[in-house]
Amino acid sequence: MRTALALLLMLHASGTFAQERDRPMTLSLNGHYGHPLGEFDAAWGKEFGGVGGNFSTPFHRLPFEGGAQFDWSRMGGASAVVPVQVDHLDATEGDLEVNCNTYGFHALMRFKPFTGKVAPYIDGLAGWRTFTTRTKLKVDGAEGPLSNERNASDAAMSYGWAAGVMVTLGEVFYIEGRYEKLQGEEVTYVDPSSISIDDQGAVGYGTRTSNTDVYQIKLGIGFRF
């Protein structure tokens, strides 16, 4: 009972503090470092990097916000120069690229009790992540890729939490640091280290299956509206 009462008093105090001024919408852009956890680490075991962003909208003057975030991460890939024969082009060789990427799409619910220069927050996250491998063939003289083929794609539900802090620089801009931990369901994905390209441009690869638990550390900039 005492714990519940203390929590209610803290929420009331933080809500009162937040209502002293209008609560802005926020838009963040970031780069991130990620590391697989548990079964994902055992199956794949490599760090990755990427970029992303999120936005949040306050619930009037309450210390809660709703929003969404998007992330792109590169898992790896391979490339090679391969022979091509195209009637309307003089080129006899092209660049074949195989890229393994993961994309995250999450809704977020944020508790941010303070709106001053330093504003810590905690997020709850729920959504999904997709793991996609594509092959592109680029040839000099051609507008865009000569071919763009999806080799494999799978998706898994994802959920977790994040904790971060925004430090305001002036009226509009802020810098942000953020730690994120996500639990992902089982998915099958291409192992980038297994990709092979023969001298005729045929692509081969192996796959791995595991859950997709991960933590990510993010640094970025943002805008208050």
Side-chain angles (χ1 to χ4, degrees):
M1 177 64 71
R2 290 181 179 178
T3 302
L5 180 59
L7 180 58
L8 287 173
L9 289 174
M10 289 175 62
L11 288 173
H12 174 73
S14 62
T16 301
F17 182 87
Q19 289 176 24
E20 292 179 359
R21 56 182 294 182
D22 291 335
R23 301 181 63 86
M25 297 174 58
T26 61
L27 172 64
S28 300
L29 305 173
N30 59 65
H32 64 256
Y33 159 85
H35 192 290
L37 297 171
E39 186 181 314
F40 192 23
D41 189 27
W44 186 50
K46 294 182 180 180
E47 296 81 9
F48 55 87
V51 295
N54 66 70
F55 74 89
S56 66
T57 302
F59 298 156
H60 192 50
R61 294 190 176 186
L62 296 175
F64 297 98
E65 302 177 5
Q69 76 170 27
F70 167 79
D71 293 297
W72 166 85
S73 302
R74 177 170 169 79
M75 296 181 67
S79 63
V81 177
V82 298
V84 297
Q85 185 176 0
V86 183
D87 293 339
H88 61 282
L89 297 176
D90 295 330
T92 58
E93 292 182 332
D95 296 317
L96 188 68
E97 298 179 354
V98 185
N99 295 307
C100 301
N101 300 311
T102 178
Y103 303 88
F105 309 87
H106 294 87
L108 66 84
M109 179 66 72
R110 174 169 296 170
F111 173 62
K112 188 171 72 174
F114 307 110
T115 58
K117 183 175 182 179
V118 179
Y121 64 85
I122 298 175
D123 286 354
L125 300 162
W128 73 94
R129 298 170 68 209
T130 64
F131 294 74
T132 302
T133 297
R134 303 191 74 94
T135 297
K136 293 183 180 181
L137 177 60
K138 299 178 181 179
V139 179
D140 288 341
E143 294 185 5
L146 199 63
S147 65
N148 187 348
E149 175 186 356
R150 185 170 67 180
N151 303 97
S153 183
D154 201 359
M157 297 296 294
S158 176
Y159 58 92
W161 60 271
V165 60
M166 300 174 179
V167 179
T168 301
L169 305 174
E171 293 295 323
V172 176
F173 298 100
Y174 61 85
I175 57 175
E176 180 180 17
R178 176 181 173 91
Y179 174 86
E180 196 170 276
K181 186 175 182 181
L182 296 171
Q183 292 181 267
E185 296 182 352
E186 188 174 270
V187 70
T188 298
Y189 50 90
V190 171
D191 179 0
S193 64
S194 72
I195 297 172
S196 63
I197 305 173
D198 69 19
D199 56 6
Q200 296 301 309
V203 176
Y205 56 84
T207 61
R208 294 181 182 270
T209 300
S210 70
N211 66 30
T212 51
D213 296 354
V214 65
Y215 78 77
Q216 299 183 137
I217 297 173
K218 300 181 175 181
L219 296 173
I221 61 172
F223 309 89
R224 294 154 47 104
F225 299 94

